[in-house]
Amino acid sequence: MHKFGMISLYVGLVLGITGLIGGFGLMFAGSDTWAKPLIAMVPIGFLLVFNGVVTTLLHSPGDGVEPKGPPE
């Protein structure tokens, strides 16, 4: 799960940064048809980053299947 979280984190960062820089750059350049899908990628990237951070915090690389948390 930790590896999945790291992959999700990096993919989300790439999507978010690409969407922000590319989308706003194309929007200011006047190409709205390509800017809309790139700006729409930003929330998806944010969700993937959030998912990756939470997953890596809950599952350490050496853990088994039990997530961290308060004892029950």
Side-chain angles (χ1 to χ4, degrees):
M1 285 303 288
H2 183 21
K3 185 179 244 184
F4 170 75
M6 293 300 294
I7 292 170
S8 175
L9 181 73
Y10 291 133
V11 169
L13 279 173
V14 168
L15 284 178
I17 291 171
T18 303
L20 277 175
I21 294 172
F24 280 108
L26 286 172
M27 184 177 67
F28 291 136
S31 179
D32 290 341
T33 56
W34 285 101
K36 289 177 187 177
L38 286 175
I39 292 175
M41 284 189 337
V42 175
I44 297 168
F46 175 76
L47 289 175
L48 285 173
V49 167
F50 187 72
N51 180 32
V53 168
V54 170
T55 304
T56 55
L57 287 176
L58 288 176
H59 296 278
S60 291
D63 269 355
V65 293
E66 293 295 321
K68 294 178 186 175
E72 294 180 1

